[in-house]
Amino acid sequence: MRPEALNPLFIEARDLDGVGPKMMKPLEKLGLTRVKDLAYHLPERFVTRRVISDLDEGSEGEQVIIGLTPTEHRASRNPGRGPYSVLAQDDAGNICSLTYFGRASYTAKKQLPVGEKRWVAGRLDRYGDMLQIVHPDHIEKDSAAHLARLNEPVYRLSEGLTQPRLASLTAQSLERLPELPEWIEPGQFESSGWPAWRDAMHLAHKDMNERARDRLAYDELLANSLALILVKAEGRRRKGQALAGDGSLRAKLDLPFEMTGAQKRSIDEIEGDLQQEAPMLRLLQGDVGAGKTVVALAAMLVAVEAGKQAAMLAPTEILARQHFETLRKMAAPTGVEVAILTGRAKGKEREGILMGLLDGSIDILVGTHAIFQDTVGYKDLGLVVIDEQHRFGVQQRLALAAKGKRAPHTLAMTATPIPRSLTLAQYGEMDVSRLDELPPGRQAIDTRVVPQERLEDMIAGVERHIASGQQAYWVCPMVRESETDDIAAAEARYALLKERFGDDVVMVHGQLTPDIKDANMERFASGGAKLLVATTVIEVGVDVPSSTLMVIEQAERFGLAQLHQLRGRVGRGSEKSVCVLLRGNELSETGRKRLALMRETQDGFRIAEEDLELRGGGELLGTRQSGEAAFRIANLEQVQKLLPIAHADARMLIEHDGGLSSARGEAARQLLYLFERDWGVQLLRGG
């Protein structure tokens, strides 16, 4: 049960003053549905204003507060389109235009009556010969009210919310904050000079207080580390089963290649874990094409040699079918029975698979989430392999334990190389194996950067490529054209290419229904279509060896890791492959560096580290695709600086400072509930 002291933080936002059904919509878009969400919605920046007595004191572009008296209202000759202007003068008689667009003119009529002085806060600019303030931020009657506007927070908004409205709701939330006991280790708290939790929350909304923000980021990182350590400790306490394979099945494998040193090392690490009674929880981190599937098969064969079953969980049906075909072919010489179960399996087909799992005649099962439904039972499940780890949270991993007579071993895999500095944040409860070598003989992908104005040349090149019997991908950053942007959209590009190539083109993006998406993808994978136009839904897992050309449009708009994953969709066969990065004309320095690095290297681990450096500390982890490991408060710079300390602090508490039953441990329980690390909280109930 949640500690009673935290209840005020979980009050619904709709219970605050001034929040009705209409206001809840934009709040829900921002995820601000409770008091604690609003309190933790920290300002992105602060506007610092200066009080001036007359307009001559202000500088163009400066944020000011000034007393002005409206003298005339001027409506546009074209109502609804042109500006609505209110001419106003300062005490010295200097004239300024307060300019409004759209419906905001109604506000101007009410707030700026002619002849009555008002205090106006906003940015002073010039349009032609006239000074102006466009859409003033605040208009006050009281001369003292402007003092509160001198250092004003600026919050991230959604349509239907204004800064003053959100600031009012945040202020109400801060008033409800309870006093909570200190969960940070006393020595760390003292040396850091951080404020107490409640004080830090208030200070973070007043200015860019670095100590307050670091304190709040540390809390989030500490909660995450604690939860992950609890999961790991719980896993070690649970009764698993030692799996000792005799090597008989692995000896029958007839692989058409020599395994790399990294693959052999990883298999040894996994085999060592499987021989322990404590359930394995290991992450296999491999670059694009590093050979994770072979390592996973070796691990599953160890389980089968030990008389157990293994299951592989894939995030999509397309990927599940690809894994099934690959594993079935590789495992054929061993005689091991491999089956697939997805949501599509119905009637007798499904019944046959379920019976095979229960009687043990199926050794290895591949599938989507369907393989862990309540109706699916196993004779003796010993190992679970989870592909594309970032798509599955800790909660799902914990739920797998219920499927075995004893807790099965878990091997998670990801093809997204993660900087070492972030591994703790995402996988703090897991041991990590890294495949940092590519198989010998794998050809480097020829990466080229081409300007957007050569689009027609590029299409002609694709035409020649298809005519030679090969396939190609064309990736766009958006599904549809934006009204205000020129980003190439998948639908617009698909329409253009379909005119040229007819039925040889298919399209895949996230807004298509799963059936259409799967059918289009299968048509391309089988060779029925020669060109696949797509968004980043093909970033992970799609394997079509005969596709040897990748075109990425507006490439500068993608992150490095994303570009690397997309490029990894080609170069999967014996043919030479090419990746073309079509760039826009306005290239930032960061964009230029990204594209240059893509040409220079194909080492995903180096790319991941460089990507982190290029993005810098300002970009939140939440912009990445990392599921629940995304942080709301901590930015990348804080993660790099504070996570190792927080992880050590969490470990010290659990292993040496009395755990969660000590005085600080009781406070740490509140921290876990505060940050809703539910999968850690579930484990608290047992101790």
Side-chain angles (χ1 to χ4, degrees):
M1 272 212 18
R2 184 197 305 140
E4 203 171 312
L6 296 179
N7 286 344
L9 295 166
F10 286 84
I11 291 169
E12 296 289 317
R14 60 172 51 90
D15 294 333
L16 297 175
D17 292 342
V19 179
K22 189 177 178 183
M23 180 64 68
M24 277 307 297
K25 287 182 180 178
L27 289 175
E28 284 167 357
K29 275 187 188 174
L30 292 168
L32 307 180
T33 59
R34 298 159 303 180
V35 162
K36 91 176 189 73
D37 302 324
L38 284 158
Y40 273 112
H41 191 66
L42 303 184
E44 293 184 316
R45 57 190 172 88
F46 286 81
V47 173
T48 303
R49 297 193 177 91
R50 186 165 67 94
V51 181
I52 58 176
S53 58
D54 70 58
L55 291 162
D56 289 340
E57 288 180 39
S59 305
E60 287 179 36
E62 185 182 8
Q63 292 282 352
V64 299
I65 295 171
I66 184 169
L68 296 171
T69 303
T71 59
E72 182 185 350
H73 283 240
R74 289 182 180 174
S76 167
R77 291 177 185 174
N78 191 357
R81 293 193 180 180
Y84 184 94
S85 302
V86 181
L87 298 184
Q89 63 181 24
D90 62 19
D91 292 344
N94 299 309
I95 300 293
C96 176
S97 170
L98 306 177
T99 306
Y100 294 82
F101 294 90
R103 294 180 181 177
S105 60
Y106 296 115
T107 306
K109 291 169 187 173
K110 284 183 180 178
Q111 292 187 330
L112 294 163
V114 172
E116 293 186 25
K117 186 172 180 178
R118 294 290 184 265
W119 289 90
V120 179
R123 177 183 157 121
L124 189 64
D125 283 307
R126 183 178 293 277
Y127 182 72
D129 295 332
M130 176 75 76
L131 285 170
Q132 72 170 1
I133 297 175
V134 178
H135 287 277
D137 296 323
H138 302 283
I139 295 170
E140 306 281 359
K141 286 184 183 179
D142 186 354
S143 61
H146 68 269
L147 294 175
R149 311 295 187 196
L150 292 177
N151 191 38
E152 185 177 28
V154 177
Y155 296 95
R156 186 164 58 87
L157 300 174
S158 67
E159 191 176 350
L161 268 181
T162 62
Q163 290 293 345
R165 197 78 202 88
L166 189 51
S168 164
L169 296 177
T170 302
Q172 287 186 59
S173 300
L174 292 173
E175 286 169 11
R176 295 170 184 247
L177 298 184
E179 290 284 354
L180 297 177
E182 188 53 71
W183 43 70
I184 296 176
E185 192 274 321
Q188 171 63 25
F189 182 71
E190 193 71 31
S191 64
S192 65
W194 291 335
W197 173 77
R198 193 167 182 274
D199 293 338
M201 292 293 284
H202 281 273
L203 288 168
H205 287 271
K206 286 182 178 173
D207 57 38
M208 296 302 280
N209 187 302
E210 188 177 343
R211 286 185 175 178
R213 285 178 174 246
D214 277 358
R215 166 37 237 235
L216 299 178
Y218 186 84
D219 290 344
E220 185 173 35
L221 297 171
L222 180 61
N224 195 65
S225 295
L226 265 174
L228 293 178
I229 287 170
L230 285 166
V231 169
K232 191 168 190 174
E234 173 66 11
R236 286 180 172 159
R237 279 199 301 270
R238 288 204 318 263
K239 275 281 187 185
Q241 46 193 342
L243 306 183
D246 59 10
S248 59
L249 294 175
R250 283 167 287 165
K252 294 177 182 176
L253 284 175
D254 184 19
L255 300 175
F257 51 82
E258 176 70 22
M259 279 202 271
T260 65
Q263 285 174 312
K264 291 173 182 174
R265 182 183 69 238
S266 296
I267 291 170
D268 288 344
E269 290 168 347
I270 292 164
E271 192 170 8
D273 285 356
L274 293 175
Q275 289 169 1
Q276 309 304 311
E277 197 172 73
M280 171 179 75
L281 199 52
R282 182 170 286 277
L283 175 72
L284 179 63
Q285 201 185 345
D287 201 353
V288 177
K292 295 182 297 300
T293 309
V294 178
V295 175
L297 175 60
M300 290 190 283
L301 289 177
V302 171
V304 179
E305 287 167 1
K308 310 297 179 186
Q309 293 165 299
M312 179 184 262
L313 176 63
T316 65
E317 185 160 328
I318 294 169
L319 194 49
R321 291 192 181 282
Q322 273 181 199
H323 279 315
F324 170 64
E325 293 298 335
T326 304
L327 292 172
R328 191 170 57 83
K329 286 173 189 170
M330 284 199 292
T334 68
V336 165
E337 183 66 29
V338 184
I340 181 169
L341 179 64
T342 69
R344 275 195 204 177
K346 307 286 185 213
K348 289 184 178 178
E349 180 194 0
R350 180 180 171 82
E351 284 175 26
I353 295 167
L354 296 184
M355 288 301 297
L357 290 172
L358 284 172
D359 65 24
S361 59
I362 292 175
D363 301 300
I364 294 173
L365 180 68
V366 182
T368 54
H369 281 91
I371 68 176
F372 293 113
Q373 289 171 349
D374 291 341
T375 53
V376 180
Y378 297 78
K379 183 181 180 184
D380 197 350
L381 182 63
L383 171 66
V384 175
V385 179
I386 301 173
D387 192 26
E388 287 317 320
Q389 156 64 21
H390 66 263
R391 310 280 182 93
F392 302 100
V394 179
Q395 280 178 303
Q396 286 100 320
R397 298 204 293 272
L398 289 174
L400 302 183
K403 285 297 178 185
K405 290 180 180 177
R406 291 188 176 182
H409 297 275
T410 303
L411 175 66
M413 306 194 298
T414 178
T416 308
I418 299 151
R420 289 185 188 276
S421 54
L422 298 185
T423 305
L424 264 184
Q426 289 183 267
Y427 306 113
E429 90 283 23
M430 306 183 95
D431 298 307
V432 180
S433 295
R434 283 166 76 108
L435 294 180
D436 46 15
E437 299 174 55
L438 288 181
R442 189 175 162 91
Q443 288 195 57
I445 299 165
D446 182 5
T447 304
R448 304 169 189 175
V449 179
V450 174
Q452 185 75 23
E453 55 256 32
R454 289 183 56 197
L455 178 64
E456 190 51 46
D457 292 344
M458 193 64 247
I459 293 173
V462 170
E463 189 167 27
R464 290 191 296 275
H465 184 82
I466 290 174
S468 72
Q470 299 184 75
Q471 292 174 277
Y473 298 98
W474 191 299
V475 177
C476 303
M478 287 177 64
V479 176
R480 295 186 178 90
E481 292 281 4
S482 161
E483 289 178 14
T484 58
D485 214 327
D486 62 347
I487 304 175
E491 288 183 345
R493 188 59 69 231
Y494 170 71
L496 176 73
L497 294 171
K498 191 161 179 63
E499 276 184 27
R500 185 82 160 250
F501 302 118
D503 290 341
D504 274 341
V505 188
V506 289
M507 177 170 60
V508 172
H509 60 66
Q511 293 180 24
L512 294 174
T513 64
D515 286 351
I516 293 174
K517 194 161 55 179
D518 287 353
N520 288 350
M521 194 64 242
E522 282 179 14
R523 188 162 163 248
F524 180 70
S526 66
K530 300 299 181 187
L531 177 61
L532 176 66
V533 178
T535 55
T536 54
V537 293
I538 63 156
E539 181 182 338
V540 168
V542 179
D543 187 5
V544 183
S546 59
S547 187
T548 54
L549 173 62
M550 165 66 72
V551 180
I552 305 175
E553 196 164 352
Q554 299 279 342
E556 72 278 8
R557 296 181 186 264
F558 293 89
L560 266 174
Q562 215 170 24
L563 288 173
H564 179 62
Q565 288 295 324
L566 289 166
R567 177 171 61 183
R569 296 308 100 216
V570 296
R572 306 180 82 82
S574 56
E575 297 285 327
K576 179 74 175 171
S577 290
V578 177
C579 176
V580 178
L581 305 175
L582 269 178
R583 63 162 178 82
N585 294 327
E586 294 180 16
L587 207 56
S588 67
E589 189 56 34
T590 300
R592 199 176 301 281
K593 285 180 180 175
R594 275 187 181 142
L595 299 186
L597 187 69
M598 286 296 294
R599 289 185 63 187
E600 184 184 325
T601 183
Q602 291 181 42
D603 180 346
F605 289 97
R606 184 187 159 197
I607 285 171
E609 296 288 350
E610 296 271 357
D611 200 16
L612 189 63
E613 291 301 316
L614 285 174
R615 283 185 293 175
E619 181 169 328
L620 295 181
L621 280 169
T623 62
R624 295 168 58 246
Q625 56 178 357
S626 54
E628 71 212 63
F631 296 115
R632 182 167 184 174
I633 313 300
N635 60 33
L636 287 171
E637 189 179 324
Q638 289 167 323
V639 169
Q640 290 175 291
K641 177 174 69 173
L642 300 173
L643 181 62
I645 306 167
H647 201 73
D649 188 359
R651 179 159 284 164
M652 179 71 71
L653 172 62
I654 298 300
E655 295 177 3
H656 302 290
D657 290 355
L660 295 166
S661 56
S662 65
R664 185 160 83 95
E666 286 293 333
R669 285 173 184 256
Q670 296 202 4
L671 174 69
L672 283 163
Y673 277 100
L674 176 65
F675 279 99
E676 298 177 274
R677 291 307 197 247
D678 289 3
W679 26 274
V681 173
Q682 289 165 16
L683 301 176
L684 302 185
R685 293 171 188 155

